[in-house]
Amino acid sequence: MAEQQEKIFQDKVDHEIRIEPKDWMPDQYRKTLIRQMSQHAHSEIVGMLPEGNWITRAPSLRRKATLIAKVQDEAGHGLYLYSAAETLGISRAEMIDQLHSGKTKYSSIFNYPTLTWADIGAIGWLVDGAAIMNQVPLCRASYGPYARAMIRICKEESFHQRQGFEILLTLSKGSEEQKRMCQDAIDRWWWPAVMMFGPNDESSPHTKQSVAWKIKRFTNDELRQKFIDVCAEQVHILGMKIPDPDLKWNEQTKHYDFGAINWDEFWNVVNGNGPCNKERLAARIKAHEEGAWVREAAIAYAEKKKRKEKVIA
Amino acid sequence: MPVNISTYQPFNLSLHLADNALILGHRNSEWTGHGPILEQDIAISNIALDLVGQARNFYQYAAKLMNESSVDGKENITEDTLAYHRDAWDFKNCLLVEQTNGDWAKTILRQFFFSLYQFYLYEQLQNSKDSTIAAISEKALKEVTYHVKWSSEWVIRLGDGTNESHERILKALDDLWKFTEELFIPADYELEAANKHVGIDPSLLKSKWFQKVIEIFEEATIPIDNLSGLHSIGFYGKEGKHSEHLGYILAEMQFVQRAYPNCEW
């Protein structure tokens, strides 16, 4: 029986038929999706913090408005993703508890600080750029609710990426200090962005199964290479440098070669020892705890209202 | 013939309306990423965005008037000049909007008081003789109608929610009531604008506003016996006399523009 179900499931996947919430699915598929989707949702929510850090200091009214809108979009993405994950039988409250207890992770990139206004541009260009590389294939993920959420998200992300690049472009044409700010931000965000694709394929335990299930379409290294190829060209428009002396075009592979990634730093940040891990999590926990009485009041009022309506009816 | 900008009513009124919207928008945006519920984080950020948008429209108009009034026509004032290169004494926002966010109850009540005031104000200003002020007000009124709905629903929810939320909204009322009267005490430029049918005398909005507050408070089970009238602290942000908070808001908001002057961002 189970074997037959598994076969039907894999046939659907192989024929690009979306798996929907009520369909049978292997436990491990469900678990993998819950892990990936909740991590993704958490990343959106934690990702609001480093950018939110510059809302009150945005250097013009136009930038302030676009930054508020952008961070608000991230909250919206978090909502879609939590809702999509809830179709797999886990509640938003449970997922949030798992974030706060450290059981589920979020993207390590958000454990780096935003030190100047240029960081807002670099996050848009590099971090959103890397996210898009990861996410566009997810629009075809085998799980229907995830794929549909990703379609909406990707549209907004590519808009964010263009905005980020435009911030850097403006800085790159500005004063000496603005140029310095621009290069400094690229220097600090480049390698963490390259690491966003995760460990090399040979040390990525989930990749093979996820590809077979069509949750993933490309491996970490394939996506990373694609990202580097694109950025290596775009950086010329900015007249800036990518902080990798080994970055150079390889005529044979038709790709850019790049230098060694510092995996010690990667694992160090994943394991909680990055520059802002503690602050980010503490900020989320604080918002949640300080919001508890608000949520309780909203529930209490809704129940009172329901009772009153019953009496009237 | 260039006008004397410092006494030109549409200019001063626009600046006042812009400052109100910007400072509250700025305050609300401090919540972005820190809201009590994800949906409400989005809602408060959305209101921040609406307010910053209103501020930009009024600043752009004020900047245009300034540029037109310059003798040699060479002034290049922008919305950002007005937002980022004036100090607190030139800001004409009311004291209510610069108050700290406090907890969610204080933020909600501040929004409710202010949005309700803006609602009655824009309702009148959409008939302003100044067509730009009328047009901006008409557009903003649609947004503010939603802000009033959202904030009054929250006042009711918190007032009639749990004991804790009830206590917190009372505390917020105690903190904020003293800033309500200012909304309805006209500054000179408001009266002058009203005389020219560009603006209105805000004291005319007071009873409507008060009545609606009472109505919402009754539904929220917030006691109204002590609300004999509106209160003020005796000086007015509208006239450039602010609380200590505004200096810090501006220090933060203007930092990049001040540290790196004459740059494009």
Side-chain angles (χ1 to χ4, degrees), chain A residues 55-61 63-65 72 92 178 284 293 295 304, chain B residues 26 33 36 39 42 46 49 80 84 160-161 252-253 257 264-265:
Chain A
I55 288 177
T56 55
R57 290 177 292 167
S60 74
L61 292 178
R63 295 296 186 199
K64 193 182 192 73
Q72 191 196 20
R92 200 205 298 183
Q178 285 177 304
R284 285 314 314 158
W293 70 269
R295 296 189 297 275
K304 272 188 206 174
Chain B
H26 180 96
E39 286 82 347
I42 294 174
N46 207 38
L49 204 50
D80 292 329
Y84 293 90
D160 195 18
E252 190 171 345
M253 186 171 80
Q257 284 265 354
E264 288 287 319
W265 298 96

PDB file of all heavy atoms in Angstrom, chain A residues 55-61 63-65 72 92 178 284 293 295 304, chain B residues 26 33 36 39 42 46 49 80 84 160-161 252-253 257 264-265:
ATOM      1  N   ILE A  55      15.716  52.527   8.421  1.00  0.00           N
ATOM      2  CA  ILE A  55      14.495  53.254   8.040  1.00  0.00           C
ATOM      3  C   ILE A  55      14.494  54.667   8.626  1.00  0.00           C
ATOM      4  O   ILE A  55      14.228  55.640   7.924  1.00  0.00           O
ATOM      5  CB  ILE A  55      13.224  52.491   8.497  1.00  0.00           C
ATOM      6  CG1 ILE A  55      13.020  51.244   7.642  1.00  0.00           C
ATOM      7  CG2 ILE A  55      11.988  53.390   8.414  1.00  0.00           C
ATOM      8  CD1 ILE A  55      11.836  50.387   8.070  1.00  0.00           C
ATOM      9  N   THR A  56      14.809  54.766   9.902  1.00  0.00           N
ATOM     10  CA  THR A  56      14.734  56.089  10.541  1.00  0.00           C
ATOM     11  C   THR A  56      15.902  56.989  10.140  1.00  0.00           C
ATOM     12  O   THR A  56      15.907  58.169  10.457  1.00  0.00           O
ATOM     13  CB  THR A  56      14.714  55.958  12.084  1.00  0.00           C
ATOM     14  OG1 THR A  56      15.858  55.188  12.478  1.00  0.00           O
ATOM     15  CG2 THR A  56      13.446  55.284  12.563  1.00  0.00           C
ATOM     16  N   ARG A  57      16.900  56.430   9.459  1.00  0.00           N
ATOM     17  CA  ARG A  57      18.048  57.249   9.023  1.00  0.00           C
ATOM     18  C   ARG A  57      18.185  57.313   7.507  1.00  0.00           C
ATOM     19  O   ARG A  57      19.220  57.772   7.000  1.00  0.00           O
ATOM     20  CB  ARG A  57      19.342  56.684   9.633  1.00  0.00           C
ATOM     21  CG  ARG A  57      19.435  56.899  11.132  1.00  0.00           C
ATOM     22  CD  ARG A  57      20.689  56.260  11.697  1.00  0.00           C
ATOM     23  NE  ARG A  57      20.618  54.802  11.611  1.00  0.00           N
ATOM     24  CZ  ARG A  57      21.646  53.992  11.792  1.00  0.00           C
ATOM     25  NH1 ARG A  57      22.841  54.493  12.033  1.00  0.00           N
ATOM     26  NH2 ARG A  57      21.493  52.685  11.723  1.00  0.00           N
ATOM     27  N   ALA A  58      17.181  56.844   6.794  1.00  0.00           N
ATOM     28  CA  ALA A  58      17.275  56.867   5.328  1.00  0.00           C
ATOM     29  C   ALA A  58      17.530  58.301   4.870  1.00  0.00           C
ATOM     30  O   ALA A  58      16.964  59.239   5.418  1.00  0.00           O
ATOM     31  CB  ALA A  58      15.980  56.341   4.727  1.00  0.00           C
ATOM     32  N   PRO A  59      18.436  58.481   3.880  1.00  0.00           N
ATOM     33  CA  PRO A  59      18.946  59.821   3.598  1.00  0.00           C
ATOM     34  C   PRO A  59      18.040  60.728   2.762  1.00  0.00           C
ATOM     35  O   PRO A  59      18.397  61.879   2.548  1.00  0.00           O
ATOM     36  CB  PRO A  59      20.246  59.548   2.838  1.00  0.00           C
ATOM     37  CG  PRO A  59      20.044  58.216   2.221  1.00  0.00           C
ATOM     38  CD  PRO A  59      19.150  57.446   3.128  1.00  0.00           C
ATOM     39  N   SER A  60      16.919  60.240   2.276  1.00  0.00           N
ATOM     40  CA  SER A  60      15.989  61.140   1.594  1.00  0.00           C
ATOM     41  C   SER A  60      14.582  60.597   1.816  1.00  0.00           C
ATOM     42  O   SER A  60      14.412  59.430   2.195  1.00  0.00           O
ATOM     43  CB  SER A  60      16.294  61.224   0.097  1.00  0.00           C
ATOM     44  OG  SER A  60      15.882  60.029  -0.542  1.00  0.00           O
ATOM     45  N   LEU A  61      13.601  61.439   1.561  1.00  0.00           N
ATOM     46  CA  LEU A  61      12.219  60.991   1.788  1.00  0.00           C
ATOM     47  C   LEU A  61      11.849  59.866   0.826  1.00  0.00           C
ATOM     48  O   LEU A  61      11.138  58.934   1.183  1.00  0.00           O
ATOM     49  CB  LEU A  61      11.252  62.169   1.638  1.00  0.00           C
ATOM     50  CG  LEU A  61      11.384  63.244   2.728  1.00  0.00           C
ATOM     51  CD1 LEU A  61      10.419  64.392   2.449  1.00  0.00           C
ATOM     52  CD2 LEU A  61      11.131  62.673   4.117  1.00  0.00           C
ATOM     53  N   ARG A  63      13.903  57.615  -0.416  1.00  0.00           N
ATOM     54  CA  ARG A  63      14.550  56.386   0.067  1.00  0.00           C
ATOM     55  C   ARG A  63      13.842  55.843   1.304  1.00  0.00           C
ATOM     56  O   ARG A  63      13.753  54.634   1.504  1.00  0.00           O
ATOM     57  CB  ARG A  63      16.019  56.649   0.409  1.00  0.00           C
ATOM     58  CG  ARG A  63      16.900  57.035  -0.767  1.00  0.00           C
ATOM     59  CD  ARG A  63      17.020  55.930  -1.782  1.00  0.00           C
ATOM     60  NE  ARG A  63      17.977  56.270  -2.823  1.00  0.00           N
ATOM     61  CZ  ARG A  63      18.015  55.673  -4.009  1.00  0.00           C
ATOM     62  NH1 ARG A  63      17.158  54.704  -4.309  1.00  0.00           N
ATOM     63  NH2 ARG A  63      18.914  56.022  -4.903  1.00  0.00           N
ATOM     64  N   LYS A  64      13.383  56.758   2.137  1.00  0.00           N
ATOM     65  CA  LYS A  64      12.701  56.334   3.354  1.00  0.00           C
ATOM     66  C   LYS A  64      11.425  55.581   2.982  1.00  0.00           C
ATOM     67  O   LYS A  64      11.147  54.497   3.496  1.00  0.00           O
ATOM     68  CB  LYS A  64      12.361  57.578   4.173  1.00  0.00           C
ATOM     69  CG  LYS A  64      11.924  57.338   5.606  1.00  0.00           C
ATOM     70  CD  LYS A  64      11.589  58.696   6.237  1.00  0.00           C
ATOM     71  CE  LYS A  64      11.423  58.630   7.732  1.00  0.00           C
ATOM     72  NZ  LYS A  64      12.693  58.457   8.428  1.00  0.00           N
ATOM     73  N   ALA A  65      10.657  56.162   2.059  1.00  0.00           N
ATOM     74  CA  ALA A  65       9.397  55.530   1.660  1.00  0.00           C
ATOM     75  C   ALA A  65       9.655  54.164   1.019  1.00  0.00           C
ATOM     76  O   ALA A  65       8.986  53.177   1.342  1.00  0.00           O
ATOM     77  CB  ALA A  65       8.636  56.442   0.703  1.00  0.00           C
ATOM     78  N   GLN A  72       8.286  46.172   4.605  1.00  0.00           N
ATOM     79  CA  GLN A  72       6.900  45.719   4.738  1.00  0.00           C
ATOM     80  C   GLN A  72       6.625  44.542   3.785  1.00  0.00           C
ATOM     81  O   GLN A  72       5.923  43.591   4.148  1.00  0.00           O
ATOM     82  CB  GLN A  72       5.999  46.899   4.421  1.00  0.00           C
ATOM     83  CG  GLN A  72       4.557  46.684   4.752  1.00  0.00           C
ATOM     84  CD  GLN A  72       3.691  47.727   4.065  1.00  0.00           C
ATOM     85  OE1 GLN A  72       4.100  48.355   3.088  1.00  0.00           O
ATOM     86  NE2 GLN A  72       2.506  47.917   4.577  1.00  0.00           N
ATOM     87  N   ARG A  92       1.609  28.503  12.823  1.00  0.00           N
ATOM     88  CA  ARG A  92       2.573  29.611  12.824  1.00  0.00           C
ATOM     89  C   ARG A  92       3.198  29.743  14.212  1.00  0.00           C
ATOM     90  O   ARG A  92       4.399  29.967  14.339  1.00  0.00           O
ATOM     91  CB  ARG A  92       1.882  30.920  12.430  1.00  0.00           C
ATOM     92  CG  ARG A  92       2.884  31.964  11.940  1.00  0.00           C
ATOM     93  CD  ARG A  92       2.421  33.401  12.107  1.00  0.00           C
ATOM     94  NE  ARG A  92       1.214  33.729  11.367  1.00  0.00           N
ATOM     95  CZ  ARG A  92       0.689  34.962  11.339  1.00  0.00           C
ATOM     96  NH1 ARG A  92       1.282  35.954  11.971  1.00  0.00           N
ATOM     97  NH2 ARG A  92      -0.424  35.196  10.690  1.00  0.00           N
ATOM     98  N   GLN A 178      31.016  58.813  -0.677  1.00  0.00           N
ATOM     99  CA  GLN A 178      29.942  57.900  -1.097  1.00  0.00           C
ATOM    100  C   GLN A 178      30.510  56.691  -1.833  1.00  0.00           C
ATOM    101  O   GLN A 178      30.050  55.562  -1.643  1.00  0.00           O
ATOM    102  CB  GLN A 178      28.931  58.636  -1.977  1.00  0.00           C
ATOM    103  CG  GLN A 178      28.018  59.562  -1.183  1.00  0.00           C
ATOM    104  CD  GLN A 178      27.078  60.335  -2.090  1.00  0.00           C
ATOM    105  OE1 GLN A 178      27.514  61.022  -3.001  1.00  0.00           O
ATOM    106  NE2 GLN A 178      25.782  60.217  -1.848  1.00  0.00           N
ATOM    107  N   ARG A 284      13.661  39.604  17.942  1.00  0.00           N
ATOM    108  CA  ARG A 284      12.423  38.874  17.593  1.00  0.00           C
ATOM    109  C   ARG A 284      11.701  38.412  18.856  1.00  0.00           C
ATOM    110  O   ARG A 284      10.484  38.516  18.965  1.00  0.00           O
ATOM    111  CB  ARG A 284      12.730  37.664  16.703  1.00  0.00           C
ATOM    112  CG  ARG A 284      13.072  37.944  15.258  1.00  0.00           C
ATOM    113  CD  ARG A 284      12.137  38.920  14.591  1.00  0.00           C
ATOM    114  NE  ARG A 284      10.742  38.635  14.852  1.00  0.00           N
ATOM    115  CZ  ARG A 284       9.749  39.533  14.753  1.00  0.00           C
ATOM    116  NH1 ARG A 284       9.983  40.753  14.384  1.00  0.00           N
ATOM    117  NH2 ARG A 284       8.515  39.190  15.012  1.00  0.00           N
ATOM    118  N   TRP A 293       0.510  40.528  25.315  1.00  0.00           N
ATOM    119  CA  TRP A 293      -0.727  41.099  25.873  1.00  0.00           C
ATOM    120  C   TRP A 293      -1.633  41.653  24.765  1.00  0.00           C
ATOM    121  O   TRP A 293      -2.856  41.649  24.906  1.00  0.00           O
ATOM    122  CB  TRP A 293      -0.410  42.177  26.914  1.00  0.00           C
ATOM    123  CG  TRP A 293       0.181  43.446  26.352  1.00  0.00           C
ATOM    124  CD1 TRP A 293       1.491  43.741  26.173  1.00  0.00           C
ATOM    125  CD2 TRP A 293      -0.553  44.587  25.880  1.00  0.00           C
ATOM    126  NE1 TRP A 293       1.628  44.989  25.613  1.00  0.00           N
ATOM    127  CE2 TRP A 293       0.383  45.536  25.441  1.00  0.00           C
ATOM    128  CE3 TRP A 293      -1.914  44.895  25.810  1.00  0.00           C
ATOM    129  CZ2 TRP A 293       0.010  46.773  24.905  1.00  0.00           C
ATOM    130  CZ3 TRP A 293      -2.284  46.126  25.289  1.00  0.00           C
ATOM    131  CH2 TRP A 293      -1.330  47.061  24.843  1.00  0.00           C
ATOM    132  N   ARG A 295      -1.902  40.367  21.677  1.00  0.00           N
ATOM    133  CA  ARG A 295      -2.564  39.212  21.058  1.00  0.00           C
ATOM    134  C   ARG A 295      -3.658  38.658  21.972  1.00  0.00           C
ATOM    135  O   ARG A 295      -4.752  38.311  21.516  1.00  0.00           O
ATOM    136  CB  ARG A 295      -1.520  38.129  20.724  1.00  0.00           C
ATOM    137  CG  ARG A 295      -0.493  38.578  19.686  1.00  0.00           C
ATOM    138  CD  ARG A 295       0.391  37.442  19.199  1.00  0.00           C
ATOM    139  NE  ARG A 295       1.218  36.851  20.242  1.00  0.00           N
ATOM    140  CZ  ARG A 295       2.410  37.327  20.625  1.00  0.00           C
ATOM    141  NH1 ARG A 295       2.921  38.404  20.050  1.00  0.00           N
ATOM    142  NH2 ARG A 295       3.112  36.731  21.573  1.00  0.00           N
ATOM    143  N   LYS A 304     -15.486  37.906  23.225  1.00  0.00           N
ATOM    144  CA  LYS A 304     -16.599  38.687  23.799  1.00  0.00           C
ATOM    145  C   LYS A 304     -17.599  39.064  22.722  1.00  0.00           C
ATOM    146  O   LYS A 304     -18.806  38.990  22.903  1.00  0.00           O
ATOM    147  CB  LYS A 304     -16.056  39.987  24.416  1.00  0.00           C
ATOM    148  CG  LYS A 304     -15.624  39.866  25.854  1.00  0.00           C
ATOM    149  CD  LYS A 304     -15.304  41.241  26.413  1.00  0.00           C
ATOM    150  CE  LYS A 304     -14.323  41.126  27.552  1.00  0.00           C
ATOM    151  NZ  LYS A 304     -13.868  42.435  28.037  1.00  0.00           N
TER     152      LYS A 304
ATOM    153  N   HIS B  26       7.399  58.830  10.720  1.00  0.00           N
ATOM    154  CA  HIS B  26       8.706  58.410  11.228  1.00  0.00           C
ATOM    155  C   HIS B  26       8.537  57.580  12.512  1.00  0.00           C
ATOM    156  O   HIS B  26       9.122  56.505  12.647  1.00  0.00           O
ATOM    157  CB  HIS B  26       9.552  59.660  11.493  1.00  0.00           C
ATOM    158  CG  HIS B  26      10.921  59.379  12.020  1.00  0.00           C
ATOM    159  ND1 HIS B  26      12.023  59.309  11.212  1.00  0.00           N
ATOM    160  CD2 HIS B  26      11.361  59.139  13.281  1.00  0.00           C
ATOM    161  CE1 HIS B  26      13.096  59.041  11.948  1.00  0.00           C
ATOM    162  NE2 HIS B  26      12.714  58.937  13.205  1.00  0.00           N
ATOM    163  N   GLY B  33       9.148  45.817  11.767  1.00  0.00           N
ATOM    164  CA  GLY B  33      10.009  44.705  12.180  1.00  0.00           C
ATOM    165  C   GLY B  33       9.871  44.345  13.649  1.00  0.00           C
ATOM    166  O   GLY B  33      10.450  43.370  14.100  1.00  0.00           O
ATOM    167  N   PRO B  36       3.660  43.649  17.286  1.00  0.00           N
ATOM    168  CA  PRO B  36       3.215  42.560  18.167  1.00  0.00           C
ATOM    169  C   PRO B  36       2.687  41.338  17.416  1.00  0.00           C
ATOM    170  O   PRO B  36       2.662  40.237  17.970  1.00  0.00           O
ATOM    171  CB  PRO B  36       2.098  43.193  18.991  1.00  0.00           C
ATOM    172  CG  PRO B  36       1.609  44.342  18.181  1.00  0.00           C
ATOM    173  CD  PRO B  36       2.772  44.825  17.374  1.00  0.00           C
ATOM    174  N   GLU B  39       0.718  40.668  11.054  1.00  0.00           N
ATOM    175  CA  GLU B  39      -0.287  41.429  10.296  1.00  0.00           C
ATOM    176  C   GLU B  39      -0.314  42.897  10.739  1.00  0.00           C
ATOM    177  O   GLU B  39      -0.545  43.799   9.928  1.00  0.00           O
ATOM    178  CB  GLU B  39      -1.695  40.838  10.507  1.00  0.00           C
ATOM    179  CG  GLU B  39      -1.950  39.530   9.783  1.00  0.00           C
ATOM    180  CD  GLU B  39      -1.422  38.299  10.517  1.00  0.00           C
ATOM    181  OE1 GLU B  39      -0.637  38.451  11.492  1.00  0.00           O
ATOM    182  OE2 GLU B  39      -1.783  37.173  10.115  1.00  0.00           O
ATOM    183  N   ILE B  42       2.644  44.910   9.538  1.00  0.00           N
ATOM    184  CA  ILE B  42       2.378  45.377   8.175  1.00  0.00           C
ATOM    185  C   ILE B  42       1.448  46.589   8.206  1.00  0.00           C
ATOM    186  O   ILE B  42       1.682  47.578   7.508  1.00  0.00           O
ATOM    187  CB  ILE B  42       1.779  44.234   7.320  1.00  0.00           C
ATOM    188  CG1 ILE B  42       2.824  43.114   7.140  1.00  0.00           C
ATOM    189  CG2 ILE B  42       1.303  44.745   5.968  1.00  0.00           C
ATOM    190  CD1 ILE B  42       2.305  41.872   6.438  1.00  0.00           C
ATOM    191  N   ASN B  46       2.286  50.313   6.973  1.00  0.00           N
ATOM    192  CA  ASN B  46       1.505  50.854   5.876  1.00  0.00           C
ATOM    193  C   ASN B  46       1.026  52.275   6.187  1.00  0.00           C
ATOM    194  O   ASN B  46       1.049  53.161   5.324  1.00  0.00           O
ATOM    195  CB  ASN B  46       0.293  49.945   5.670  1.00  0.00           C
ATOM    196  CG  ASN B  46      -0.187  50.003   4.259  1.00  0.00           C
ATOM    197  OD1 ASN B  46       0.615  50.071   3.328  1.00  0.00           O
ATOM    198  ND2 ASN B  46      -1.489  50.009   4.082  1.00  0.00           N
ATOM    199  N   LEU B  49       3.858  54.570   5.838  1.00  0.00           N
ATOM    200  CA  LEU B  49       4.106  54.830   4.425  1.00  0.00           C
ATOM    201  C   LEU B  49       3.120  55.862   3.870  1.00  0.00           C
ATOM    202  O   LEU B  49       3.513  56.779   3.138  1.00  0.00           O
ATOM    203  CB  LEU B  49       3.961  53.498   3.684  1.00  0.00           C
ATOM    204  CG  LEU B  49       4.658  53.298   2.375  1.00  0.00           C
ATOM    205  CD1 LEU B  49       6.121  53.672   2.459  1.00  0.00           C
ATOM    206  CD2 LEU B  49       4.522  51.825   1.972  1.00  0.00           C
ATOM    207  N   ASP B  80      13.511  67.339   0.302  1.00  0.00           N
ATOM    208  CA  ASP B  80      14.530  66.920   1.263  1.00  0.00           C
ATOM    209  C   ASP B  80      15.179  68.110   1.980  1.00  0.00           C
ATOM    210  O   ASP B  80      15.577  67.987   3.139  1.00  0.00           O
ATOM    211  CB  ASP B  80      15.599  66.062   0.578  1.00  0.00           C
ATOM    212  CG  ASP B  80      15.030  64.720   0.136  1.00  0.00           C
ATOM    213  OD1 ASP B  80      14.108  64.227   0.812  1.00  0.00           O
ATOM    214  OD2 ASP B  80      15.496  64.183  -0.888  1.00  0.00           O
ATOM    215  N   TYR B  84      15.181  67.680   5.861  1.00  0.00           N
ATOM    216  CA  TYR B  84      16.487  67.318   6.427  1.00  0.00           C
ATOM    217  C   TYR B  84      17.356  68.506   6.824  1.00  0.00           C
ATOM    218  O   TYR B  84      18.396  68.324   7.442  1.00  0.00           O
ATOM    219  CB  TYR B  84      17.259  66.433   5.441  1.00  0.00           C
ATOM    220  CG  TYR B  84      16.619  65.077   5.238  1.00  0.00           C
ATOM    221  CD1 TYR B  84      15.667  64.874   4.246  1.00  0.00           C
ATOM    222  CD2 TYR B  84      16.936  64.005   6.073  1.00  0.00           C
ATOM    223  CE1 TYR B  84      15.053  63.634   4.078  1.00  0.00           C
ATOM    224  CE2 TYR B  84      16.339  62.767   5.908  1.00  0.00           C
ATOM    225  CZ  TYR B  84      15.403  62.593   4.912  1.00  0.00           C
ATOM    226  OH  TYR B  84      14.804  61.358   4.749  1.00  0.00           O
ATOM    227  N   ASP B 160     -11.742  47.068  25.584  1.00  0.00           N
ATOM    228  CA  ASP B 160     -12.688  46.023  25.976  1.00  0.00           C
ATOM    229  C   ASP B 160     -12.075  44.630  25.830  1.00  0.00           C
ATOM    230  O   ASP B 160     -12.791  43.646  25.659  1.00  0.00           O
ATOM    231  CB  ASP B 160     -13.955  46.155  25.106  1.00  0.00           C
ATOM    232  CG  ASP B 160     -15.120  45.354  25.679  1.00  0.00           C
ATOM    233  OD1 ASP B 160     -15.071  44.988  26.875  1.00  0.00           O
ATOM    234  OD2 ASP B 160     -16.071  45.073  24.931  1.00  0.00           O
ATOM    235  N   GLY B 161     -10.758  44.529  25.886  1.00  0.00           N
ATOM    236  CA  GLY B 161     -10.090  43.231  25.732  1.00  0.00           C
ATOM    237  C   GLY B 161      -9.869  42.553  27.066  1.00  0.00           C
ATOM    238  O   GLY B 161     -10.790  41.994  27.657  1.00  0.00           O
ATOM    239  N   GLU B 252      18.444  61.766  14.416  1.00  0.00           N
ATOM    240  CA  GLU B 252      18.493  60.455  13.773  1.00  0.00           C
ATOM    241  C   GLU B 252      18.113  60.566  12.296  1.00  0.00           C
ATOM    242  O   GLU B 252      18.824  60.066  11.422  1.00  0.00           O
ATOM    243  CB  GLU B 252      17.522  59.524  14.505  1.00  0.00           C
ATOM    244  CG  GLU B 252      17.658  58.083  14.100  1.00  0.00           C
ATOM    245  CD  GLU B 252      16.832  57.158  15.008  1.00  0.00           C
ATOM    246  OE1 GLU B 252      16.386  57.594  16.098  1.00  0.00           O
ATOM    247  OE2 GLU B 252      16.636  56.004  14.614  1.00  0.00           O
ATOM    248  N   MET B 253      17.023  61.237  12.048  1.00  0.00           N
ATOM    249  CA  MET B 253      16.497  61.310  10.685  1.00  0.00           C
ATOM    250  C   MET B 253      17.446  62.044   9.747  1.00  0.00           C
ATOM    251  O   MET B 253      17.643  61.655   8.607  1.00  0.00           O
ATOM    252  CB  MET B 253      15.144  62.021  10.717  1.00  0.00           C
ATOM    253  CG  MET B 253      14.430  62.029   9.386  1.00  0.00           C
ATOM    254  SD  MET B 253      12.740  62.644   9.580  1.00  0.00           S
ATOM    255  CE  MET B 253      13.039  64.378   9.628  1.00  0.00           C
ATOM    256  N   GLN B 257      22.249  63.120   5.833  1.00  0.00           N
ATOM    257  CA  GLN B 257      22.262  64.380   5.073  1.00  0.00           C
ATOM    258  C   GLN B 257      23.200  65.417   5.700  1.00  0.00           C
ATOM    259  O   GLN B 257      23.864  66.177   4.998  1.00  0.00           O
ATOM    260  CB  GLN B 257      20.845  64.971   5.032  1.00  0.00           C
ATOM    261  CG  GLN B 257      19.920  64.274   4.058  1.00  0.00           C
ATOM    262  CD  GLN B 257      19.870  64.975   2.708  1.00  0.00           C
ATOM    263  OE1 GLN B 257      20.443  66.037   2.527  1.00  0.00           O
ATOM    264  NE2 GLN B 257      19.166  64.357   1.770  1.00  0.00           N
ATOM    265  N   GLU B 264      23.890  63.560  -3.594  1.00  0.00           N
ATOM    266  CA  GLU B 264      22.665  62.916  -4.089  1.00  0.00           C
ATOM    267  C   GLU B 264      22.572  61.550  -3.431  1.00  0.00           C
ATOM    268  O   GLU B 264      23.575  60.838  -3.341  1.00  0.00           O
ATOM    269  CB  GLU B 264      22.766  62.701  -5.607  1.00  0.00           C
ATOM    270  CG  GLU B 264      22.648  63.951  -6.450  1.00  0.00           C
ATOM    271  CD  GLU B 264      21.224  64.482  -6.479  1.00  0.00           C
ATOM    272  OE1 GLU B 264      20.293  63.665  -6.581  1.00  0.00           O
ATOM    273  OE2 GLU B 264      21.063  65.718  -6.372  1.00  0.00           O
ATOM    274  N   TRP B 265      21.390  61.138  -3.050  1.00  0.00           N
ATOM    275  CA  TRP B 265      21.243  59.819  -2.421  1.00  0.00           C
ATOM    276  C   TRP B 265      20.312  58.939  -3.208  1.00  0.00           C
ATOM    277  O   TRP B 265      19.898  57.908  -2.810  1.00  0.00           O
ATOM    278  CB  TRP B 265      20.768  59.968  -0.974  1.00  0.00           C
ATOM    279  CG  TRP B 265      21.772  60.706  -0.174  1.00  0.00           C
ATOM    280  CD1 TRP B 265      21.771  62.053   0.107  1.00  0.00           C
ATOM    281  CD2 TRP B 265      22.978  60.193   0.426  1.00  0.00           C
ATOM    282  NE1 TRP B 265      22.871  62.389   0.842  1.00  0.00           N
ATOM    283  CE2 TRP B 265      23.630  61.271   1.052  1.00  0.00           C
ATOM    284  CE3 TRP B 265      23.545  58.902   0.484  1.00  0.00           C
ATOM    285  CZ2 TRP B 265      24.834  61.101   1.724  1.00  0.00           C
ATOM    286  CZ3 TRP B 265      24.742  58.744   1.160  1.00  0.00           C
ATOM    287  CH2 TRP B 265      25.382  59.835   1.770  1.00  0.00           C
TER     288      TRP B 265
END
